[in-house]
Amino acid sequence: MIYPNGNHALKDINLEFGTGMFGLLGPNGAGKSSLMRIIVTLMKPSSGVVLVDGKDIQHFRKELRSILGYLPQDFRFFTSLKTWEFLDYSGSLAGKRNRKERISEVDRLLDQVGLLEVHDRQDNRLSGGRKRRLGIVQAPIGISKIIIVYEPTTGLDPTVWFRFTMILS
């Protein structure tokens, strides 16, 4: 990856992941964020080929976005939506077309991370920890086969992170 200012990141990278959960560690400025954004098709690589689930991200962006879930470091949401509305909207964007199934999934996920009691609260009225939990459950709301999370435990009680890992299994 070459940035407009000429800085190089992710030079000569070759990674292959199997099934399971993996971490990505490296010093600040090494390109971890860039790599994650490239994998989830939010950023185009300057060169090279990136395959996700065996498909080139340059040619199969739309298809790959339907199987990818992503929780960025700085999670933002629509402040005017209620918690359940945001997740319902996220599910529809991820390709979950059946509204009844989507709402059922929303309720199940909200319950699993302890947000069911605030399902009618506007997102901007949630505490910091609850906002982070909302971000966590939006990542797998669709048909996600691959979920990329950036510093997912920041601001979370360890029991919430444990519940999230149970959702994924």
Side-chain angles (χ1 to χ4, degrees), residues 17-75:
F17 298 97
T19 58
M21 189 179 298
F22 300 90
L24 185 60
L25 300 172
N28 291 344
K32 298 179 300 291
S33 298
S34 298
L35 177 61
M36 286 187 234
R37 287 187 198 113
I38 289 169
I39 291 170
V40 298
T41 74
L42 294 176
M43 190 172 167
K44 291 185 178 184
S46 347
S47 63
V49 175
V50 178
L51 302 176
V52 174
D53 202 30
K55 295 180 174 73
D56 186 331
I57 65 165
Q58 299 286 44
H59 300 102
F60 295 94
R61 286 178 105 66
K62 187 174 182 178
E63 182 180 332
L64 288 171
R65 284 182 175 176
S66 73
I67 65 164
L68 290 166
Y70 180 55
L71 172 63
Q73 179 182 25
D74 185 20
F75 172 69

Side-chain angles (χ1 to χ4, degrees), residues 17 60 69 111 122 141:
F17 298 97
F60 295 94
D111 185 47
Q122 283 185 305
I141 192 80

